[in-house]
Each structure stands twice: as C-alpha cells, then as structure tokens.
C-alpha cells in the first residue's frame, strides 16, 4: 500500500482545496514558520482516525475547521487519502486498484468517515488497515519536537511500540 | 503472547545492531526489558555505548545524540515490520552537518521499504528528496501548496 | 506585595508591545493574570494576535511561532529589569531563514543591556557574534575549546 | 557586572582546564553534536549555585565529575567564574575590580563554594548576586529544547518569572 495523493479542504489553515501527489520514495514538505506544514501532518493523522484532540494540537473539534479572517469560510473540513492498493487489505477490497479513505467534519459538529465515497464507521477504517501496518499512533509518525522525547518517555510508554511489532 | 513479544525484542535488537553503527561510528545499543521479568508487564529501556564516552543513563546524552538514538530505534522497528509509510516532522532540527548526512543515508535505506514524507528546514535534507512540496501563506492565514517533482 | 506585581505586569506589557512587532509584523501580545483576581495567587497567561490568523489558544501556534513568542516575552522581561547576562542554548533551532534574521535583530538590542552567550548551529546567527568558541572532541570523549575573536 | 572568563576543569567532558574569555556583546558557542556545548551551559548554571540534578541533566552529583575512558581522571571538578565588578554588589565587595566565584566537587562527594579563593556557603553566593539580577533559575538562562516549552508551561509556573521582575 502506498499514498498516491492527499487532498485537504477546509481543514485548519486550508480554505482552498489543495492536493499533494506523493511519489514513491522521499517527499519533503518545506516552507516558512507558520505556513501550514505541521497542519498537513495533522490532516494525515486525522484521516487515519486519530481521536485525540491534544495530538491534533487543538482544544475542540471546532478548531479543526478553517477559522481565518479570510472571506470564504467553507461549510465543512474534509481530508481525502488516495491509496494505491497492493494487497494486505481485507477480502472485499482486494480487487480495487485504488482505495480512497476520507473524513469530514461539519460546522454542526457532526463528523463522518468514508471509504470509496461510502460512509462507514471508524471500526471499518481500523479493519481496512489491520494487516497493512498503518497506525496513526505507531512508530511511523513522529510529531514536531517529539524525536528527543522518545528517550525521555517512561519504559512503560516505550513498550507500546514493541507491542506493535509483536 | 509472551513468546511473540520476546521474539519482537530479539528481532528489533538484531536490526538495531545493524543500524546503530550507521549513525554512531563504533557505537552499540540494545533494547531490554525492565521493571519485571514478565514480557507482558515489563517496560522497554535502551542501553547505549558510545566510543570513549560514559553513558550511564540516557539523560547524559546531548540533544543531537538523543535524536539520533531515537531515530535508530525507530528505524530498527521499521526494518522488523515495515509500515507502508513513515511521516517525520522536523526530526532533523537538532542535528549538525555530519549527522545530517548520516540521517540522509538512513532515509535512503528507509525508502527501500516505505514511502517517506518529512517536514524539514534543512537544505541538505531537501537535496535527497524525490519531490518537494512548498507550503506558503501569500495571503495571510491561507495556506497553499506548490509541488515540484525533482527526479 | 500586590502593588509591585501589578506594576511589574504593567511594565512587562509595555515592553512586550515594543518587542512583539519586531518579531511578528503587525502582531500583538499581552500578558494577563488568570486563575484568580489576587495578583499574589494568580497565574500568568499570554494572549496573542497574529494578522489574518486565529489564535484561540497558544497550542494553535506552530513550532517556530511558539519559539518566537517565548523569546519576545523573555526579552520584554529583560527590558524591564536587565540581568547582566543572558544565556541561550539553541533557542533558534525551530526558526526559518526570515525569522532567524529577526532573532538577530533582537540579539543586537539585547546586547545593548546585557552580555549574551548562546549555543547555535546556525551560520546566520554566528555572523553577528563578537566572538566564536569552537568546541571539539578530537580525542574521543574529551572536550576542548578554541576561541576566535571576531571584532 | 559582566563575565570576563569562565574556567572549567574536571567537570563533565572537560578533563583538561579550558578557559573561555567572553567579550562584552555576543558570544556564540559552536561545534558538532555531543562535543560539550551544553556541558558548558551546565557549568555556568552549576557555578551560580544550581542545586537541581535534573536541571544539570545528571542522576547523581558523581556524574558531574569527568568519567570518560581517557587516562587522566582529575581528582575533582572545578568551575571558576571571573566577573568584572561594576557595582550592584554588597558593601564588602564594592572596591574590588574583579570577583571570582568558584565551585568544587571532590570524588569523595564533598563540595565547596568559594568567593575570591575563600570558601563560603551557598547563602553567600546568593547574597553576592542579590541585587545584580543574576539568578540561575531566572528568565536569563534558557536550556536546550526549553524555548518552545515556555508557552506549554502552566500559568502558575510562568508566574515565577514575573515575581522576579517585581
Ligand atoms: N482552524 C484553523 N484555521 C485557520 N488557521 C489555523 C487553524 N488552526 C491553526 N491555524 C494556523 O496555522 C498556523 C500553524 O501552522 P503549522 O503549525 O502547520 O506551521 P508550520 O508550517 O508547521 O510552522 P513551523 O515551521 O514553525 O513548525 C498557525 O499560525 C495557526 O494560526
Ligand atoms: N561526567 C562526564 N564525563 C565525561 N563525559 C560526559 C560526562 N557527562 C556528559 N558527558 C558527555 O558529554 C556529551 C554531551 O555533551 P553536550 O550535551 O554538551 O553536547 P552538545 O555539544 O550540547 O551537543 P548537541 O549539539 O547535540 O546538543 C555526551 O556525549 C556525554 O557522554
Ligand atoms: Mg511545524
Ligand atoms: Mg546541546
């Protein structure tokens, strides 16, 4: 499985739809302080099912909706992750060349998950990724400022990563 | 189950002994269980030996050394069970010039197994990327993205 | 005493309104008491306004923005009651090119009041130093210092 | 008051005596990862009377003594701070052009403070710096990785800095 594209609309500092076509290999996200780089990382964590507001650096789900002074205020926030499917997924998804996972949040506070444009539950997202090694809390996602902290964590907290391996 | 966790530790240590010397010339590191003999209860700790230096506990390491150790452990886990993608937000910030080049070698090996997406301010790291995504805020408060394919 | 603490807050805010726009074009910041009306019990919080951006609470700021805010507050304290020396260990690590130059301006103003000693990896910051001290470990585990006077 | 020179011997990674003559203005300490830059900052904090082992990044006082594999193992650790005296100090120090503050730690575990080569107590060091604004815990000393944390601290912790101003 690999990411073909990440699309963000109305999430944090992105009022316009942006699309990031990630190639295989290494992609570098660059730009000035405060321009929105870590917001892209938050979008990735969010679409993979992240539940913790603290990990998303907000106090309430409402802070995930674009809130700048700019005129256009989109009615909802949406992040779509377009994945190339090369196996490892459950039976019903095997034949599809591409899988699209999406998450939406409306100003009303309602939120929904979608797989290939059909609404589903968070459980279905977890089930989809079960044997692929994808996990928003896993060792594969390191937040800004976290790298030095890994060693400062307690042995019990570090054990969590080993359990993923087992 | 206990057997699986013990095996995972075994495998992680094997990979760590391959990766660690890439980042620290002549250094050694080992993950081990602490707090309890039962792998289902025990915590995970790290012992590090750097040539010529006393590292009695991890807080004696410098800022840059701590970052490199954490990256070595992360990478060892990756080699045991590669995830499809690896996402790093400014993990190279504390590194000096020489260690940045070692970090780049690590990234090149990582990309053999997984897709790597990273945020960086360091031009040395940008050099090895296959694609660059520039994030700007020309209009105050509004983020836009410009992508540049390199290879 | 209550009066003194209130006065200190007043003065700090005056200086902050001078310093903050140096680091954030068009921005404003204010320190205020929270948790209690009694200055002897209250905590200290910071309200920040950046042009075009919603900053409902400090955790919405980016890594670099947080560092700049902290430096602005520190510097405002310095202007109220300058200490003889100011010692900074890699506080410029999260800053991009443009903010590093603003940080340099802050250092130049700081040096009018106090002696500044800082650790940095950033060549842009080294450029404005009056003296450089190179720390090396030619012999493993043994630190030595070479000093170079610049001006 | 300003720092003329900092001398370190036998402290952390410094088995040989090193001397850093700081000019007025801005001094930059540079060098590779792990070379000893933050150890110099620890030496400064220590000679100013820092009591917390955690702030000095050690578990026991013994970790402050040079412990490398290198043959020479100094019998003690000593940091000396040579200060130019321009007022602000108590009466008995007023006439001196220079004041030298030092701190020593012996392998036996004993430690001592000295002002102008005469042993004194920690209280005397605090008394010396009382009206000069020098304080190892104050807003004038920011550790590596701390700058982003200032905003993450609780309002009560931040208040400490304001008290210093009052
Ligand atoms: N809901 C929102 N609506 C609009 N803007 C937001 C929202 N949430 C956060 N922001 C803005 O996004 C900016 C932070 O972006 P981000 O953390 O991605 O910066 P960054 O590019 O990672 O910068 P750095 O290099 O300093 O880490 C803040 O200035 C904040 O005001
Ligand atoms: N008591 C001691 N004896 C000998 N060496 C020590 C002692 N305490 C710490 N060290 C060594 O000092 C090194 C750390 O130095 P320091 O933290 O000053 O690095 P630094 O120059 O600040 O690096 P960075 O740029 O990564 O922050 C460690 O490698 C450690 O082994
Ligand atoms: Mg960021
Ligand atoms: Mg350091």
């Amino acid at each position: 499985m690999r990411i073909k594209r990440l699309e963000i609309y109305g999430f944090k500092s992105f009022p316009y739809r942006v699309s990031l076509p990630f190639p295989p290999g290494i992609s570098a996200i660059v730009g000035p302080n405060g321009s929105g780089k870590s917001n892209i990382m938050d979008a990735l964590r969010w679409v993979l099912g992240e539940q913790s507001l603290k990990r998303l650096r907000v106090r309430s789900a409402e802070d995930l909706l674009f809130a700048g002074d700019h005129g256009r205020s989109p009615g909802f926030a949406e992040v779509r992750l377009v994945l190339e499917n090369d196996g490892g997924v459950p039976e019903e998804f095997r034949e599809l060349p591409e899988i699209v996972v999406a998450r939406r949040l409306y100003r009303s506070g309602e939120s929904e998950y979608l797989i290939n444009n059909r609404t589903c539950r968070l459980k279905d997202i977890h089930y989809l990724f079960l044997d692929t090694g994808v996990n928003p809390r896993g060792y594969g996602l390191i937040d800004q400022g976290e790298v030095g902290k890994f060693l400062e964590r307690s042995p019990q907290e570090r054990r969590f990563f080993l359990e993923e391996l087992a | 189950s206990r057997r699986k966790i013990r095996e995972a530790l075994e495998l992680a240590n094997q990979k760590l002994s391959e990766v660690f010397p890439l980042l620290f010339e002549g250094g050694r590191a080992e993950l081990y269980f602490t707090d309890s003999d039962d792998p289902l209860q025990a915590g995970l700790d790290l012992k590090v030996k750097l040539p010529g230096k006393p590292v009695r506990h991890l807080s004696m390491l410098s800022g840059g050394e701590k970052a490199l150790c954490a990256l070595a452990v992360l990478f060892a886990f990756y080699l045991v069970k590669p995830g499809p993608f690896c996402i790093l937000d400014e993990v190279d910030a504390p590194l000096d010039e020489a260690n940045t080049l070692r970090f780049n070698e690590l990234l090149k090996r990582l990309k053999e197994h997984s897709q790597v997406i990273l945020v960086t301010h360091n031009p040395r790291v940008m050099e090895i990327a296959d694609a660059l995504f520039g994030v700007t805020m020309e209009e105050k408060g509004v983020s836009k993205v410009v992508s540049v394919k390199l290879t």
Side-chain angles (χ1 to χ4, degrees), chain A, chain B:
Chain A
M1 181 176 273
R2 123 178 137 67
I3 298 176
K4 292 183 72 173
R5 220 170 39 255
L6 175 71
E7 295 171 9
I8 304 173
Y9 173 71
F11 180 86
K12 287 208 171 189
S13 55
F14 294 92
Y16 296 112
R17 182 177 299 281
V18 298
S19 169
L20 294 95
F22 293 121
I26 301 171
S27 299
I29 300 175
V30 301
N33 288 137
S35 58
K37 301 184 297 295
S38 295
N39 290 344
I40 292 173
M41 298 306 203
D42 293 336
L44 253 163
R45 253 191 206 284
W46 189 62
V47 72
L48 290 174
E50 179 64 69
Q51 297 295 305
S52 148
L53 293 175
K54 192 163 151 50
R55 274 319 269 264
L56 294 167
R57 304 183 297 152
V58 291
R59 291 245 174 104
S60 74
E62 206 194 325
D63 289 339
L64 295 172
L65 296 164
F66 175 74
D69 306 350
H70 170 73
R72 315 163 40 96
S73 213
F76 61 95
E78 180 188 53
V79 175
R80 292 161 54 90
L81 188 65
V82 180
L83 298 159
E84 186 179 277
N85 177 12
D86 51 12
V89 290
E91 196 54 58
E92 65 263 46
F93 298 108
R94 283 271 164 77
E95 302 313 320
L96 301 166
E98 244 181 39
I99 300 176
V100 181
V101 176
R103 187 170 178 181
R104 274 201 203 131
L105 176 70
Y106 296 93
R107 288 219 176 257
S108 62
E110 254 176 80
S111 112
E112 63 185 353
Y113 296 90
L114 303 104
I115 295 180
N116 295 334
N117 289 328
R118 281 210 308 278
T119 59
C120 65
R121 294 161 310 167
L122 176 59
K123 264 207 209 86
D124 301 319
I125 304 258
H126 286 322
Y127 178 65
L128 169 69
F129 289 131
L130 197 62
D131 287 331
T132 60
V134 174
N135 174 345
R137 295 296 189 94
Y139 46 81
L141 231 156
I142 300 196
D143 289 337
Q144 194 169 354
E146 278 296 313
V147 73
K149 286 201 195 130
F150 178 77
L151 297 187
E152 287 160 24
R153 286 190 190 290
S154 74
Q156 285 303 332
E157 286 175 303
R158 286 188 219 130
R159 162 199 177 77
F160 170 76
F161 290 111
L162 198 67
E163 280 165 7
E164 267 202 45
L165 280 183
Chain B
S1 80
R2 286 190 184 67
R3 199 179 46 68
K4 271 216 169 127
I5 293 248
R6 249 194 246 290
E7 236 169 68
L9 185 70
E10 221 41 74
L11 285 170
N13 272 325
Q14 268 170 24
K15 295 294 179 200
L16 190 58
S17 61
E18 268 174 48
V19 173
F20 200 77
L22 274 183
L23 291 173
F24 293 94
E25 272 149 45
R28 273 200 337 274
E30 193 187 343
L31 292 158
Y32 63 98
F33 286 127
T34 121
D35 306 343
S36 146
D37 288 340
D38 176 2
L40 292 178
Q41 302 291 340
L44 188 65
D45 217 339
L46 179 71
K47 227 187 333 236
V48 170
K49 181 79 197 100
L50 299 181
K53 294 188 163 182
V55 186
R56 295 191 196 132
H57 47 83
L58 297 176
S59 49
M60 279 175 98
L61 293 172
S62 80
E65 291 168 338
K66 272 187 189 160
L68 281 181
C69 280
L71 289 169
V73 170
L74 165 91
F75 191 50
F77 285 164
Y78 241 89
L79 288 178
V80 172
K81 187 178 166 188
F85 35 85
C86 183
I87 300 169
L88 309 170
D89 194 345
E90 300 201 28
V91 297
D92 56 336
L95 305 183
D96 62 23
E97 182 89 356
N99 282 327
T100 300
L101 297 178
R102 291 198 191 106
F103 173 63
N104 282 355
E105 287 315 307
L106 199 73
L107 289 179
K108 284 181 198 152
R109 287 203 42 194
L110 199 58
K111 100 179 205 188
E112 293 164 17
H113 300 270
S114 314
Q115 195 173 13
V116 179
I117 299 171
L118 61 93
V119 176
T120 182
H121 285 297
N122 191 333
R124 279 253 172 267
V125 176
M126 295 176 204
E127 284 169 10
I128 65 158
D130 300 303
L132 277 186
F133 295 90
V135 187
T136 64
M137 260 195 185
E138 283 145 23
E139 204 183 323
K140 285 207 192 302
V142 173
S143 296
K144 293 223 174 103
V145 178
V146 176
S147 64
V148 179
K149 269 248 185 347
L150 297 173
T151 37

